[in-house]
Amino acid sequence: QTSLSIWGWGSLGLVLFLVTFGPFAIFYFAFYILCFVGGGFVVTLLFGKSNSEKYLEQCEHSFLPCTSVGISKCIEEMKREARPIKIDRRLTGANIIDEPLQQVIQFSLRDYVQYWYYTLSDDESFLLEIRQALQYALVQFSARSKETDWQPYFTTRLVDDFGTHLRVFRKAQQRIAEKGDQMKDQAEELVDTFFEVEVEMEKEVCRDLVCTSPKDEEGFLRDLCEVLLYILLPPGDFQNKIMRYFVREILSRGILLPLINQLSDPDYINQYVIWMIRDSNCNYEAFMNIIKLSDNIGELEAVKDKASEELQYLRSLDTAGDDINTIKNQINSLLYVIKVCDSRIQRLQSGKEIDTVKLAANFGKLCTVPLDHILVDNVALQFFMDYMQQTGGQAHLFFWMTVEGYRVTAQQQLEVLQSRQKDGKHQTNQTKGLLRAAAFGVYEQYLSEKASPRVNIDDNLVAKLAETLNHEDPTPEIFDDIQRKVYELMLRDERFYPSFKQNVLYVRMLAELDMLKDPSFRGSDDGEGESFNGSPTGSINLSLDDLSNVPSDETVQLHAYISDTGVCNDHGKTYALYAITVHRRNANSEEMWKTYRRYSDFHDFHMRITEQFENLANILKLPGKKTFNNMDREFLEKRKKDLNAYLQLLLNPEVMKASPTLAHYVYDFLENKAYSKGKGDFARKMDTFVNPLRNSMRNVSNAVKSIPDSLAEGMTKMSDNMGKMSERLGQDIKQSFFKVPPLMQKTYSDPDHCRVAAPIDDNVDDNIPLRVMLLLMDEVFDLKERNQWLRRNIKNLLQQLIRATYGDTINRKIVDHVDWMTSPEQVADAVKRFRDAFWPNGILAETVPRRDKAIRMRTRVAGKTKLLEVMPDELKHIIGAETTRKGILRVFEMFQHSQLNKRMVYVFLERFLETLFPQNKFPELFNKLHSRSKQMQRYKQRLHSTQAPSLQKSLLVSHIRLLMHL
């Protein structure tokens, strides 16, 4: 009953609630209850938080120490306004250097740090830290630089490193040439071979990764900059990693890397070469030489496209009158350039390179060089000497040269004897005894029965000479009869000079003498008439296209006359110029061109042909010279008339038939090219039997003329001491007769030597810088490898002359020049150039877009042309035209590979740091930085594989010996 009453009353209450408030009242009621509970929870949470904070404050004051007074002061200091920062702008002690250096630091921070740092913070303390760190490093660097002696670096190590780089490049070229196969990417193969040779020569280091991998290069520069910061910065600043990393990145990626990339760019180097020799005018003849020698199809196509563009422009011009002849000549020249480029491209693409030496030798139309000229020319004598050694006739040639040397010595000693007798000094018996000993030395070495090899000559002459030596005083002419017989034997015996003219060595000799060119090498496959422009060096490769395109019909008619004359002014020099119009006809074609000659060209040509053809001296009469008023119009017209008469008489068919080989000289003179002069008047009047020693001395004097002006002052005094020098030289030659050394002294050189100056490093000599510069000639022109005996002796004679006379003066001038290079003015100028290059007008330079490939290729051609044009003729006379050309082009080709240029830049940088910090063991550091080189690892593997068998063999032998002992 109780439960029923509860349910009943509950149900009644529910019904009444729903009737009174409605059915949604239940939801309102539930919502009210939920709000009540939530409000109570929030009030409880807020009350607990406030109580908790009060409790924590009580705990802090109870258990922690009091707050320091400095913190509040720091807060107050930070709230104050920033005070101006004072910077000490002194860096090197020289204001002219400090000012541009400060600008470089300011620009570097502005463009590499400030542009992003100010987006993070306005506080400049961090920038101040970086600037002070850079300035401190520069101060330390400057102090080290002042304490360093830079003379060995600039005069010895720099030259040594360049020569070593060139030697590695030359050996890499030789190794590729030995392979003989046509490679897909010869440039890449050359780079790989270069670093193979480098590791074989250096043995401890190879820079292939740094030079070929951009990632490894950046890592190398970062490591190097960090080492430099460790040396230059205080320990506290170096331990600040954030600042150190920023400075490291600025130096490595912001300054060093762009600078090295620019210095290694072949196009930049080519432009710099052209700028350096900008005063030299481009020669069309040298340009055609480069085109015919080029083995780069890209160069040929670039030149061809530019020539075609110029050709279209000239053909579009509407001209009349005199201009049309000029334009026709330009069009013909451009057509010829295009034709040569097409021919060379076709030959390179076909891969059928012709052996031009054999082609020229078999062609048969070569210039004839008389034997007496060969014997007095140091370049030609070297080739004739090689041939005589091959045929076993070297004893005859050496005897002839030794007698010439004896004659010079005897004449000098007798002249000294006479001068001493005039002064009252008597040494007659001693001098005659020395001459007798020298004469007996020559006799014993070449004519006695014990001589080996012995000169085979008439026994009666030898017996007569022996009788004279035993009973009479020796004279300078004592060997003249036998020497004359030996000369006739070499001249007429088929084994010697006649066969030499048919040998390949004779062709190479002509190339070195700038005589391997035939003016009749004209014509073309299609029969078009175009004038041929020869080469300035007469190289073997230059005549390739012309030798292969010689017309079979040799019935050529040549007519020429002087059409006009005028006065030219070239760099302040005024001279008359004669325009010669030339017509050439043969069975297939007819051509006409103009060439320009000076009176001195006519005079040189006249001397040359009258020397070769003595009968012409009585027929041809060249108009005489005039010292004053030789630019007068009436005089020029009269000379034009006389020279015209000279040409007509020269081109007379009867005269040409009387001397068949005369046509070659005439064609060469009338070609549309710069005339290459031969010997001067003084040389032509010299006796043709001048001995090689005198000829070498003349070449030395010519070489002295080519020394730069900065060194010329010391050399001008050489003439005052030539008398004393000749006396000392005569004594040296006289003493050499007593020793009777072998005439052929072969020089042995270790091919594994990595340093050019290594053979003289152990000699403490004040003239080491000068000697290293002279030794560098061996690397550029490859004289050591070719074993060129006479050229080596000429170079040694030049060294002895400079060292014995004014070597110290030249050495002092070199030292003074190094001091000038490291002077504050020059250093400031270098810093300014660096600043202006990276920040022109104070604005960071934008990355220069890479120039078009065609423009870069034409720049290469222009650079090679300039280099060949600027080479002095004296150098060609001393070491040969072909050797000079190959050496210059080898050096130029070496700079056309950016990876190899980087290697050279890094070598210079490493040597620079080794010189600046000699106590910091930089060589070991660089070996470790380059230790990850793949070439180095392969080299060590090959070395280990070759040494392992020998090591095992030695261990086996030791074990066997131990067993035998037991």
Side-chain angles (χ1 to χ4, degrees):
Q1 290 179 353
T2 302
S3 61
L4 289 174
S5 62
I6 293 173
W7 281 104
W9 287 105
S11 300
L12 178 63
L14 179 63
V15 171
L16 294 175
F17 180 81
L18 292 176
V19 171
T20 304
F21 298 101
F24 294 99
I26 298 176
F27 297 101
Y28 294 133
F29 183 74
F31 177 73
Y32 294 152
I33 294 175
L34 182 62
C35 289
F36 176 78
V37 174
F41 179 76
V42 171
V43 171
T44 304
L45 180 62
L46 293 177
F47 178 78
K49 181 180 179 182
S50 60
N51 289 338
S52 298
E53 290 177 352
K54 293 179 181 180
Y55 178 76
L56 288 175
E57 289 180 2
Q58 294 176 0
C59 291
E60 286 183 5
H61 290 289
S62 300
F63 304 103
L64 295 179
C66 299
T67 305
S68 175
V69 181
I71 295 178
S72 58
K73 290 186 177 181
C74 290
I75 296 175
E76 293 178 1
E77 186 72 21
M78 293 176 64
K79 292 180 179 179
R80 294 180 182 178
E81 296 182 358
R83 291 179 296 181
I85 301 175
K86 295 183 180 180
I87 301 175
D88 187 1
R89 305 183 66 86
R90 294 174 297 177
L91 297 175
T92 64
N95 293 330
I96 57 176
I97 302 178
D98 293 346
E99 182 179 355
L101 268 180
Q102 288 289 350
Q103 291 179 350
V104 170
I105 296 175
Q106 179 182 351
F107 294 155
S108 300
L109 294 176
R110 181 194 66 188
D111 296 326
Y112 294 111
V113 180
Q114 291 179 3
Y115 81 96
W116 58 263
Y117 178 75
Y118 282 142
T119 61
L120 303 177
S121 173
D122 294 332
D123 185 16
E124 296 187 355
S125 59
F126 177 71
L127 299 177
L128 177 61
E129 292 281 344
I130 295 180
R131 188 182 188 104
Q132 289 179 342
L134 287 175
Q135 292 191 167
Y136 185 86
L138 287 174
V139 170
Q140 296 298 318
F141 185 86
S142 174
R144 292 288 185 97
S145 301
K146 294 177 181 178
E147 298 172 357
T148 303
D149 182 13
W150 291 107
Q151 177 194 339
Y153 174 76
F154 285 105
T155 59
T156 303
R157 304 193 70 176
L158 204 64
V159 178
D160 183 6
D161 292 332
F162 178 78
T164 302
H165 187 83
L166 182 58
R167 179 182 295 181
V168 175
F169 179 76
R170 189 181 70 247
K171 289 184 178 296
Q173 282 187 323
Q174 293 173 355
R175 187 168 298 182
I176 290 179
E178 291 172 358
K179 295 180 180 179
D181 53 347
Q182 296 292 331
M183 291 161 289
K184 295 182 179 180
D185 192 347
Q186 191 171 6
E188 183 177 352
E189 181 69 19
L190 177 63
V191 172
D192 294 339
T193 308
F194 178 90
F195 288 109
E196 288 179 5
V197 178
E198 181 196 19
V199 71
E200 292 174 3
M201 296 183 68
E202 297 281 359
K203 299 188 184 307
E204 296 181 355
V205 65
C206 184
R207 303 169 181 85
D208 56 337
L209 281 182
V210 176
C211 300
T212 57
S213 173
K215 182 178 179 180
D216 291 300
E217 182 181 11
E218 292 180 4
F220 173 82
L221 289 177
R222 288 193 186 99
D223 295 338
L224 183 60
C225 290
E226 193 151 357
V227 171
L228 291 177
L229 293 177
Y230 173 78
I231 296 174
L232 298 175
L233 291 181
D237 291 342
F238 182 79
Q239 296 301 327
N240 187 344
K241 291 186 177 181
I242 297 178
M243 185 194 66
R244 185 174 82 233
Y245 290 161
F246 274 119
V247 175
R248 184 191 68 181
E249 291 299 316
I250 292 174
L251 292 177
S252 61
R253 298 197 61 183
I255 297 178
L256 287 180
L257 187 60
L259 180 62
I260 292 174
N261 288 335
Q262 184 177 14
L263 295 177
S264 305
D265 185 13
D267 188 51
Y268 172 80
I269 296 175
N270 296 338
Q271 294 180 62
Y272 188 75
V273 168
I274 296 174
W275 179 83
M276 286 289 292
I277 51 180
R278 59 191 179 277
D279 294 334
S280 174
N281 295 325
C282 247
N283 191 308
Y284 178 74
E285 192 174 0
F287 169 72
M288 292 307 303
N289 183 13
I290 293 299
I291 294 301
K292 293 185 177 183
L293 289 171
S294 176
D295 56 358
N296 190 310
I297 296 180
E299 292 180 0
L300 297 171
E301 290 179 344
V303 173
K304 176 187 172 183
D305 294 341
K306 190 63 177 180
S308 301
E309 180 182 340
E310 292 292 330
L311 186 63
Q312 293 178 0
Y313 171 75
L314 290 176
R315 285 175 171 171
S316 65
L317 296 178
D318 185 12
T319 58
D322 296 335
D323 292 340
I324 193 170
N325 294 326
T326 303
I327 292 178
K328 284 184 177 180
N329 290 334
Q330 294 177 357
I331 289 176
N332 288 334
S333 299
L334 290 173
L335 288 173
Y336 180 69
V337 170
I338 294 173
K339 177 185 172 183
V340 172
C341 291
D342 286 334
S343 175
R344 188 65 182 161
I345 291 173
Q346 183 178 3
R347 194 181 302 281
L348 291 174
Q349 289 177 342
S350 63
K352 297 179 180 179
E353 282 293 318
I354 299 176
D355 190 344
T356 52
V357 174
K358 295 181 179 179
L359 180 62
N362 297 331
F363 191 75
K365 291 188 176 182
L366 300 175
C367 299
T368 300
V369 182
L371 179 60
D372 54 350
H373 286 75
I374 293 176
L375 294 176
V376 300
D377 188 282
N378 54 344
V379 177
L381 181 59
Q382 185 263 328
F383 289 95
F384 187 59
M385 187 180 297
D386 291 343
Y387 175 77
M388 293 295 282
Q389 284 184 308
Q390 294 178 6
T391 58
Q394 66 271 23
H396 300 79
L397 178 59
F398 294 161
F399 172 77
W400 189 93
M401 295 173 60
T402 305
V403 170
E404 289 295 305
Y406 167 81
R407 182 183 294 109
V408 173
T409 304
Q411 290 175 352
Q412 291 176 349
Q413 293 301 315
L414 292 178
E415 291 174 0
V416 173
L417 178 62
Q418 292 176 1
S419 63
R420 288 181 176 179
Q421 287 178 347
K422 292 179 180 179
D423 297 337
K425 300 178 181 179
H426 300 283
Q427 293 182 348
T428 305
N429 295 332
Q430 182 181 1
T431 302
K432 291 183 178 180
L434 294 175
L435 291 179
R436 185 184 301 278
F440 267 108
V442 177
Y443 175 82
E444 292 292 334
Q445 186 173 358
Y446 295 104
L447 300 175
S448 66
E449 296 294 337
K450 300 178 182 179
S452 178
R454 184 174 183 269
V455 176
N456 296 322
I457 205 68
D458 188 1
D459 293 337
N460 294 329
L461 290 176
V462 177
K464 182 179 178 182
L465 174 64
E467 183 70 18
T468 304
L469 289 174
N470 290 326
H471 297 90
E472 299 179 9
D473 292 334
T475 62
E477 298 81 14
I478 192 171
F479 294 101
D480 282 3
D481 293 339
I482 298 181
Q483 187 189 28
R484 192 177 299 108
K485 288 292 183 181
V486 171
Y487 176 81
E488 293 178 357
L489 179 65
M490 291 189 297
L491 178 65
R492 306 188 186 281
D493 195 321
E494 289 295 331
R495 296 174 300 166
F496 303 141
Y497 177 68
S499 298
F500 174 63
K501 293 191 295 183
Q502 307 298 324
N503 194 273
V504 176
L505 287 173
Y506 184 77
V507 181
R508 292 176 179 170
M509 181 195 74
L510 294 179
E512 295 286 5
L513 295 176
D514 194 10
M515 299 176 68
L516 189 60
K517 53 184 178 182
D518 192 332
S520 64
F521 292 166
R522 299 171 177 266
S524 59
D525 296 330
D526 54 5
E528 293 181 359
E530 295 175 359
S531 63
F532 168 70
N533 293 274
S535 74
T537 60
S539 63
I540 296 176
N541 293 330
L542 179 61
S543 302
L544 175 61
D545 298 322
D546 306 300
L547 285 170
S548 59
N549 295 328
V550 175
S552 58
D553 186 6
E554 298 181 2
T555 60
V556 178
Q557 296 180 3
L558 194 67
H559 302 281
Y561 64 93
I562 300 178
S563 57
D564 196 7
T565 182
V567 178
C568 297
N569 190 302
D570 185 13
H571 298 287
K573 295 178 60 178
T574 304
Y575 55 86
L577 202 63
Y578 300 90
I580 306 175
T581 302
V582 185
H583 295 268
R584 181 177 179 270
R585 298 187 184 91
N586 56 24
N588 299 325
S589 64
E590 177 180 354
E591 56 182 339
M592 181 188 74
W593 68 90
K594 279 189 177 183
T595 187
Y596 299 89
R597 296 288 179 260
R598 299 173 57 177
Y599 175 80
S600 59
D601 299 334
F602 276 95
H603 184 267
D604 182 86
F605 171 70
H606 178 75
M607 296 293 293
R608 182 180 296 184
I609 61 175
T610 53
E611 185 181 89
Q612 294 291 331
F613 311 97
E614 297 180 357
N615 59 322
L616 295 179
N618 299 325
I619 301 175
L620 297 175
K621 299 298 181 182
L622 188 69
K625 294 183 178 180
K626 185 179 180 181
T627 306
F628 303 102
N629 296 327
N630 53 8
M631 296 298 156
D632 185 69
R633 189 63 188 176
E634 294 181 0
F635 172 76
L636 292 179
E637 289 296 331
K638 181 179 182 301
R639 176 173 281 181
K640 169 186 171 183
K641 181 179 179 181
D642 295 339
L643 290 176
N644 254 326
Y646 176 85
L647 277 178
Q648 303 313 313
L649 183 59
L650 177 66
L651 296 175
N652 190 306
E654 299 298 330
V655 176
M656 302 290 284
K657 289 180 181 179
S659 304
T661 56
L662 175 63
H664 301 329
Y665 295 89
V666 176
Y667 289 156
D668 182 60
F669 179 72
L670 296 178
E671 277 186 315
N672 183 19
K673 63 169 189 174
Y675 180 65
S676 178
K677 293 184 179 181
K679 297 186 293 185
D681 295 340
F682 178 77
R684 296 182 187 280
K685 296 176 183 179
M686 294 290 289
D687 184 20
T688 56
F689 284 92
V690 177
N691 57 76
L693 180 62
R694 288 176 177 173
N695 187 70
S696 300
M697 295 291 292
R698 184 170 63 250
N699 288 332
V700 168
S701 64
N702 290 335
V704 169
K705 295 178 183 178
S706 63
I707 295 177
D709 296 338
S710 60
L711 307 181
E713 181 181 353
M715 297 303 296
T716 54
K717 302 178 182 178
M718 183 175 290
S719 59
D720 299 336
N721 285 352
M722 285 307 294
K724 298 179 181 179
M725 172 52 60
S726 62
E727 181 178 350
R728 292 196 298 269
L729 190 60
Q731 293 175 359
D732 294 340
I733 298 176
K734 172 191 62 181
Q735 294 174 2
S736 67
F737 284 120
F738 302 146
K739 300 177 183 178
V740 193
L743 194 58
M744 290 294 295
Q745 298 179 356
K746 185 176 180 180
T747 58
Y748 296 93
S749 60
D750 185 5
D752 295 331
H753 250 318
C754 65
R755 296 189 62 194
V756 174
I760 64 172
D761 278 347
D762 297 334
N763 278 338
V764 180
D765 194 338
D766 292 338
N767 284 331
I768 283 181
L770 181 61
R771 294 171 63 195
V772 172
M773 291 182 182
L774 293 174
L775 285 175
L776 188 60
M777 190 173 68
D778 288 336
E779 298 303 322
V780 175
F781 300 108
D782 195 12
L783 300 184
K784 280 187 176 179
E785 299 293 334
R786 299 181 60 181
N787 193 21
Q788 297 175 343
W789 175 85
L790 193 57
R791 300 180 190 182
R792 296 288 298 147
N793 280 272
I794 291 174
K795 192 179 73 66
N796 292 335
L797 177 62
L798 176 62
Q799 286 179 328
Q800 293 173 5
L801 284 174
I802 297 176
R803 188 183 303 115
T805 53
Y806 287 95
D808 293 337
T809 302
I810 296 177
N811 189 46
R812 284 197 300 271
K813 289 187 175 295
I814 293 175
V815 174
D816 293 342
H817 186 70
V818 173
D819 294 338
W820 174 79
M821 290 172 57
T822 56
S823 63
E825 293 78 9
Q826 294 302 311
V827 174
D829 187 60
V831 175
K832 290 177 182 178
R833 288 198 299 267
F834 173 80
R835 178 200 61 192
D836 296 338
F838 279 80
W839 292 277
N841 299 321
I843 301 175
L844 182 64
E846 298 181 357
T847 303
V848 180
R850 188 173 178 83
R851 300 201 305 167
D852 183 70
K853 180 181 178 181
I855 298 177
R856 288 186 280 115
M857 291 294 104
R858 288 196 291 270
T859 306
R860 287 183 56 171
V861 175
K864 288 191 284 188
T865 305
K866 286 275 191 178
L867 281 178
L868 280 187
E869 180 65 22
V870 81
M871 284 300 103
D873 293 336
E874 289 81 5
L875 184 63
K876 300 176 185 178
H877 295 161
I878 293 176
I879 65 175
E882 186 71 7
T883 300
T884 303
R885 180 191 64 81
K886 287 183 178 179
I888 296 303
L889 293 183
R890 181 188 296 115
V891 174
F892 185 85
E893 180 63 26
M894 181 183 69
F895 287 113
Q896 304 310 307
H897 304 274
S898 59
Q899 299 94 332
L900 307 188
N901 295 338
K902 281 190 177 182
R903 188 261 177 193
M904 186 165 59
V905 172
Y906 280 117
V907 168
F908 289 164
L909 178 61
E910 292 172 10
R911 297 293 181 268
F912 176 82
L913 294 177
E914 292 173 10
T915 305
L916 188 63
F917 306 101
Q919 71 279 7
N920 292 107
K921 299 182 180 180
F922 265 98
E924 299 179 6
L925 172 65
F926 289 130
N927 290 344
K928 293 180 180 179
L929 292 179
H930 296 300
S931 60
R932 295 186 298 107
S933 167
K934 297 180 181 178
Q935 294 284 357
M936 194 70 194
Q937 295 174 1
R938 285 197 290 264
Y939 174 75
K940 290 182 178 179
Q941 291 176 358
R942 292 196 303 267
L943 190 64
H944 178 73
S945 61
T946 55
Q947 291 179 351
S950 60
L951 181 61
Q952 294 175 358
K953 184 178 179 180
S954 61
L955 290 175
L956 180 62
V957 171
S958 62
H959 286 309
I960 293 175
R961 289 179 178 176
L962 179 61
L963 291 174
M964 292 177 64
H965 177 71
L966 293 175

